[in-house]
């Protein structure tokens, strides 16, 4: 007999039919009621053992965490909160779980503790819900782009170019660490390394993505990216997944429009397809909120925040307009901001972004046309000579969730900027080629997948929305 | 006016409506006929310039590779092989392409040459077709698993464990290459490295995938994996993408069944959704075949091979049966095999696999129950004491396309094998934990995505089915 997943069993009309369920014991009460979970849904099925039908030796092995194979009759349940239950006719222990040693006791564990047993935390309600939602969001990303005729491109992970300059990088090497080959000057000779040069882990697939946008039209990447920054925060990972669409013939307006549609699509998908997990995470976040001082609590619950993003247009305004608002804002005048906003040209801090989103507009905000001096070399220079066609999407509680721009498609302008910023022109020959041969206006953006996951799950530490987080000092598992 | 993609234009009823097409010039004939391609499809749209309607200076700039924005009327085409064409009413040059310097001339280029300009090769028919199909296959992978209730897991890329022992690895480090910190013995002190230990790029997500299968039931990975082997072949990459499903409560039979359904689903998806690109690649492969000596040519063309896999059950037989067939085969008796098959226990070579698939059974083959000594430590030990519940799926022209097994779920047996094979037990504590706490029978397999791409595109070098191939001496772009 084939097993039926518990998600399907719970949605089945119970007529006393014989079914096979397999999963892990969450709780076992009164030597009679087994709450069984198989990960297909956050909901358990209740399996009811007829009293005295099982040997004591078996009963003792039905412990939290044990893996069972249960044949039973699917019947209507008299208990509250469940429509069906399983009347056990045969029960097999597939895998024991020593109740004294199993690290996941049927109680609340701290997220910090669960990170240390990341190989088991996926068996908890919280991490089951988070990881099922992560799947749903990843699938929605692919579906969104596929429906619109975008092509998924795998840009390289190991790269010889640090063109973007987006951050510190990890070196990838096969040279003997203790005794690397050296050149005549005594420096490590990377010509003898695996790739014949010094190579690093990619910080972004954008530049390579552009080469494909200028061939196939609309493309996107979805892959791991890396930053070797010594950031021990709840917002940073050394290894994280990015989604980077790039569209030929798009200008900044088109880019903002797509970013907004994309985020709303993802949030609506979550609301439609992850109702059970979201309900659990909503309550979980509520309980967490309740432990905070009043003034730090969010005004909206998780589900409210998601509906709010799904249902409301994003506020679009220029950097210059934002600076005016911030300059004249109460926290600025009353010197409540840590960084006071005094003049045009400064980079915005998280406190400023959150003020705009959470206090001033009370909705997601898209800022555009940033000062060129605080943005990357490849962004399209506006005619004012001061700004570039950049955009950032700011979300409540998260801050920047998307960053993007129209790209500089004019060869001379791009080359000048490369020179001004002292970037290695020779490493960018292929990127410059795109502007030499059939250049086209184009634009794109990047979404940090884990930032999205924080938003849709209500989790507050980025280490808790990825299976095995990588951060300074940690590469366990 | 918004552009319409050429794929959509070619499928539109032409009524003289005004449309906007944007793309790159493939050819320009008689100062009149522009073949325009935008990457949405392999097919060009023909844009017809009314004689003397454009300035000479503009006409001269309509060169191969130039990027154009064309407004025109969509009308029925009198020309053969196309139902619609575009009568140009306005034409703008978005990006010039100097005909003398543009590396892609309107002629056939060698694949070797195109690899050197991988940033532009995506604008050729061949690579456009390959990369559109790569997208289609990636999407089909996600859809297949999503439909079946599998959850997509991002297993870590940087890892501290070399548990699988699948091959040579790349080290990931932020230590100063020239002057790394040293310990008291004078060795490099990896405790001072970014992660506080020596770390490498993953060779497989399987072991981490298992931790999620034993929590969520059915999961799959789809991510980059790395091998630092000095292999300069048409079959190996240093960086490639793998798909690794892992299923709780699956035995070897279930595993074989899923592998077969999966491959057939992908091939059928290609046949249904990539008809235009496949037709082109079929002809391309045919022309390539025609240049080979008679005895090296495939009996079946690309489309025939795909239909063959889609329509026929795979042949399943045990390793032991395969050895019997090979021992008594003509090439073995006549000593035509480079490696003669003389006794049970030897590893099969590519020539043996291809004989079974292409000559003996003439269909895809699944071999199972291999000698334990030639397989990995985690494979489930059969009761004969000699074999493990491994399986390999062998494809014509490709050889092994999938490798998998039922996993050893019994703690003692697994631990013994780890000791026998002198593997680092302490690095595998979490993997062993899975067998301590609620262990369950489970199985999984790995599909090399680029191997699949070779099969469905008929390309013969694995460097030509990934955007930016990484191999010894090459990490350009």
């Amino acid at each position: 007999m084939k097993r039926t997943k518990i998600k399907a069993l719970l949605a089945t009309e119970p007529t006393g039919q014989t079914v096979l369920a397999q999963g892990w014991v969450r709780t076992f009460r009164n030597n009679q009621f087994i709450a069984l979970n198989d990960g297909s849904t956050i909901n358990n099925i209740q399996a009811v053992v007829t009293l005295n039908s099982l040997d004591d030796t078996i009963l003792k092995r039905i412990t939290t965490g044990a893996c069972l194979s249960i044949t039973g009759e699917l019947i209507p349940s008299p208990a509250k909160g469940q429509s069906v239950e399983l009347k056990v006719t045969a029960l097999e222990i597939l895998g024991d779980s020593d109740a004294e040693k199993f690290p996941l006791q049927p109680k609340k564990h701290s997220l910090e503790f669960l990170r240390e047993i990341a190989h088991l935390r996926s068996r908890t309600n919280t991490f089951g819900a988070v990881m099922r939602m992560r799947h749903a969001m990843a699938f929605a990303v692919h579906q969104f782009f596929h429906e619109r005729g975008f092509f998924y491109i795998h840009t390289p992970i190991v790269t010889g170019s640090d063109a973007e300059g987006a951050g510190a990088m990890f070196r990838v090497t096969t040279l003997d660490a203790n005794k690397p080959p050296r050149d005549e000057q005594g420096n490590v000779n990377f010509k003898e390394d695996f790739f014949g040069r010094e190579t690093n882990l990619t910080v972004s697939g954008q530049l390579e993505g552009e080469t494909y946008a200028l061939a196939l039209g609309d493309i996107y990447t979805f892959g791991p990216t890396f930053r070797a920054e010594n950031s021990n925060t709840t917002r940073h990972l050394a290894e994280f997944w990015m989604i980077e669409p790039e569209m030929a013939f798009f200008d900044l307006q088109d880019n903002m429009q797509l970013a907004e549609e994309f985020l709303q699509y993802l949030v609506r998908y979550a609301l439609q397809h992850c109702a059970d997990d979201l309900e659990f995470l909503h309550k979980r976040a509520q309980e967490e909120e309740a432990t905070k001082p009043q003034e730090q609590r969010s005004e909206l619950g998780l589900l409210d925040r998601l509906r709010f993003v799904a249902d409301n247009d994003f506020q679009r305004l220029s950097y210059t307009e934002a600076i005016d608002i911030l300059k004249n804002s109460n926290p600025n005048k009353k010197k409540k901001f840590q960084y006071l906003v005094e003049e045009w040209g400064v980079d915005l801090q998280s406190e400023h972004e959150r003020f705009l989103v959470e206090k001033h507009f009370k909705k997601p905000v898209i800022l555009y046309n940033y000062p060129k001096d605080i943005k990357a070399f490849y962004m399209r220079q506006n005619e004012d000579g001061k700004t570039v066609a950049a955009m950032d999407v700011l979300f409540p509680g998260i801050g920047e969730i998307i960053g993007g721009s129209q790209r500089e498609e004019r060869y001379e302008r791009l080359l000048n900027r490369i020179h001004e910023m002292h970037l290695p022109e020779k490493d960018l020959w292929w990127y410059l080629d795109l502007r030499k041969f059939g250049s086209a206006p184009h634009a794109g953006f990047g979404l940090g997948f884990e930032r999205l996951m924080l938003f849709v799950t209500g989790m507050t530490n980025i280490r808790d929305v990825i299976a095995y987080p990588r951060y300074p000092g940690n590469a366990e598992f």
Side-chain angles (χ1 to χ4, degrees), chain A:
Chain A
M1 189 171 193
K2 284 263 161 216
R3 84 163 170 129
T4 307
K5 290 187 183 176
I6 288 171
K7 184 178 183 181
L9 288 177
L10 294 177
T12 300
E13 183 71 31
T15 60
Q17 66 271 49
T18 298
V19 297
L20 175 64
Q22 297 179 310
W24 292 269
V25 177
R26 286 293 170 88
T27 57
F28 184 37
R29 289 184 298 117
N30 303 346
N31 269 356
Q32 209 181 353
F33 303 106
I34 305 169
L36 196 74
N37 188 285
D38 68 2
S40 62
T41 161
I42 196 162
N43 299 309
N44 306 323
I45 195 163
Q46 174 160 283
V48 184
V49 178
T50 307
L51 281 174
N52 304 319
S53 70
L54 291 177
D55 273 2
D56 259 13
T57 51
I58 293 287
L59 284 175
K60 278 187 187 143
R61 293 169 62 197
I62 304 177
T63 54
T64 296
C67 184
L68 305 187
S69 186
I70 298 180
T71 309
E73 292 165 16
L74 194 70
I75 58 173
S77 176
K80 262 209 317 200
Q82 56 190 26
S83 57
V84 304
E85 63 182 33
L86 203 54
K87 191 179 163 204
V88 177
T89 53
L91 185 150
E92 185 190 352
I93 312 265
L94 295 176
D96 288 290
S97 175
D98 185 330
E100 311 244 309
K101 292 181 183 158
F102 186 50
L104 291 172
Q105 297 299 319
K107 62 158 194 168
K108 203 172 155 70
H109 294 286
S110 77
L111 295 172
E112 290 73 17
F113 170 73
L114 292 174
R115 250 168 253 147
E116 289 169 21
I117 50 164
H119 62 307
L120 297 176
R121 68 177 180 172
S122 40
R123 297 187 197 177
T124 63
N125 280 332
T126 297
F127 286 93
V130 167
M131 296 310 289
R132 278 186 297 271
M133 285 198 67
R134 194 174 159 112
H135 162 76
M137 288 296 89
F139 188 74
V141 166
H142 287 297
Q143 191 164 275
F144 175 85
F145 288 120
H146 181 73
E147 285 171 355
R148 282 157 186 75
F150 282 62
F151 300 107
Y152 180 30
I153 305 293
H154 291 124
T155 47
I157 311 300
V158 177
T159 168
S161 67
D162 173 24
E164 225 217 329
M169 296 196 298
F170 291 101
R171 195 165 70 255
V172 174
T173 180
T174 57
L175 293 179
D176 186 314
N178 283 312
K179 292 189 177 166
R182 307 242 173 204
D183 62 17
E184 287 167 8
Q185 284 77 45
N187 293 318
V188 168
N189 187 359
F190 287 109
K191 285 191 186 141
E192 292 191 31
D193 208 344
F194 188 90
F195 294 108
R197 64 199 295 171
E198 189 170 350
T199 50
N200 299 292
L201 291 178
T202 184
V203 294
S204 160
Q206 177 200 318
L207 305 195
E208 289 91 351
E210 285 185 50
T211 67
Y212 270 85
L214 295 187
L216 303 184
D218 297 333
I219 66 95
Y220 69 106
T221 72
F222 188 172
T225 49
F226 305 84
R227 301 283 156 87
E229 269 135 36
N230 195 10
S231 303
N232 264 301
T233 80
T234 58
R235 290 274 176 272
H236 294 89
L237 289 168
E239 172 181 316
F240 56 101
W241 286 67
M242 281 249 281
I243 298 140
E244 298 182 282
E246 191 74 33
M247 296 71 66
F249 314 113
F250 262 49
D251 63 18
L252 185 65
Q253 293 299 322
D254 301 324
N255 206 24
M256 289 196 275
Q257 188 59 35
L258 187 77
E260 181 168 340
E261 284 172 19
F262 181 45
L263 288 169
Q264 290 193 321
Y265 181 96
L266 295 175
V267 170
R268 285 188 197 125
Y269 190 97
L271 286 166
Q272 279 165 24
H273 293 88
C274 309
D276 290 348
D277 288 324
L278 269 179
E279 194 189 334
F280 172 84
L281 291 169
H282 175 83
K283 284 185 196 147
R284 194 201 151 276
Q286 235 167 9
E287 287 166 21
E288 192 112 326
E289 284 286 299
T291 67
K292 291 186 190 167
Q294 184 71 44
E295 71 275 13
Q296 285 177 29
R297 292 183 204 165
S298 297
E299 290 174 31
L300 298 176
L302 173 60
L303 283 167
D304 311 305
R305 285 202 300 276
L306 297 187
R307 287 193 200 107
F308 192 77
V309 165
D311 296 341
N312 287 284
D313 288 345
F314 297 4
Q315 179 71 41
R316 300 182 192 183
L317 74 161
S318 70
Y319 166 90
T320 303
E321 292 167 300
I323 288 289
D324 282 342
I325 291 169
L326 290 167
K327 263 206 272 193
N328 299 315
S329 68
N330 271 329
N332 204 53
K333 289 193 207 152
K334 295 185 178 166
K335 304 191 191 269
K336 291 263 171 82
F337 281 146
Q338 199 188 337
Y339 297 89
L340 294 182
V341 176
E342 283 165 355
E343 57 184 28
W344 192 95
V346 296
D347 208 352
L348 297 185
Q349 304 297 320
S350 177
E351 59 182 342
H352 309 137
E353 294 174 348
R354 294 191 63 170
F355 172 81
L356 290 170
V357 172
E358 293 164 27
K359 304 291 176 190
H360 189 83
F361 291 110
K362 292 182 186 287
K363 55 169 137 168
V365 165
I366 311 184
L367 289 186
Y368 60 87
N369 287 351
Y370 280 79
K372 68 176 181 181
D373 291 336
I374 59 171
K375 288 290 181 182
F377 77 96
Y378 49 71
M379 296 190 177
R380 192 176 198 276
Q381 296 158 52
N382 288 325
E383 295 315 310
D384 62 16
K386 295 182 342 190
T387 62
V388 288
M391 65 169 205
D392 281 355
V393 183
L394 313 178
F395 257 32
I398 305 290
E400 183 195 325
I401 194 164
I402 273 180
S405 74
Q406 187 172 342
R407 316 307 187 188
E408 184 55 79
E409 87 279 14
R410 295 161 297 185
Y411 181 82
E412 291 298 336
R413 296 250 194 166
L414 182 64
L415 190 63
N416 284 341
R417 199 80 189 117
I418 287 172
H419 290 159
E420 275 172 24
M421 295 175 74
H422 306 292
L423 293 167
E425 180 186 343
K426 71 168 174 35
D427 288 352
L428 289 164
W429 66 274
W430 51 274
Y431 190 68
L432 283 160
D433 260 9
L434 298 182
R435 281 72 181 171
K436 266 190 206 160
F437 303 115
S439 189
H442 62 292
F445 60 81
L447 167 67
F449 189 55
E450 284 76 20
R451 294 270 173 102
L452 172 75
M453 289 310 303
L454 283 177
F455 184 73
V456 295
T457 62
M459 301 297 284
T460 51
N461 191 321
I462 203 160
R463 297 174 186 179
D464 296 330
V465 294
I466 188 168
Y468 292 102
R470 298 310 190 217
Y471 47 89
N474 196 294
E476 189 67 61
F477 309 104

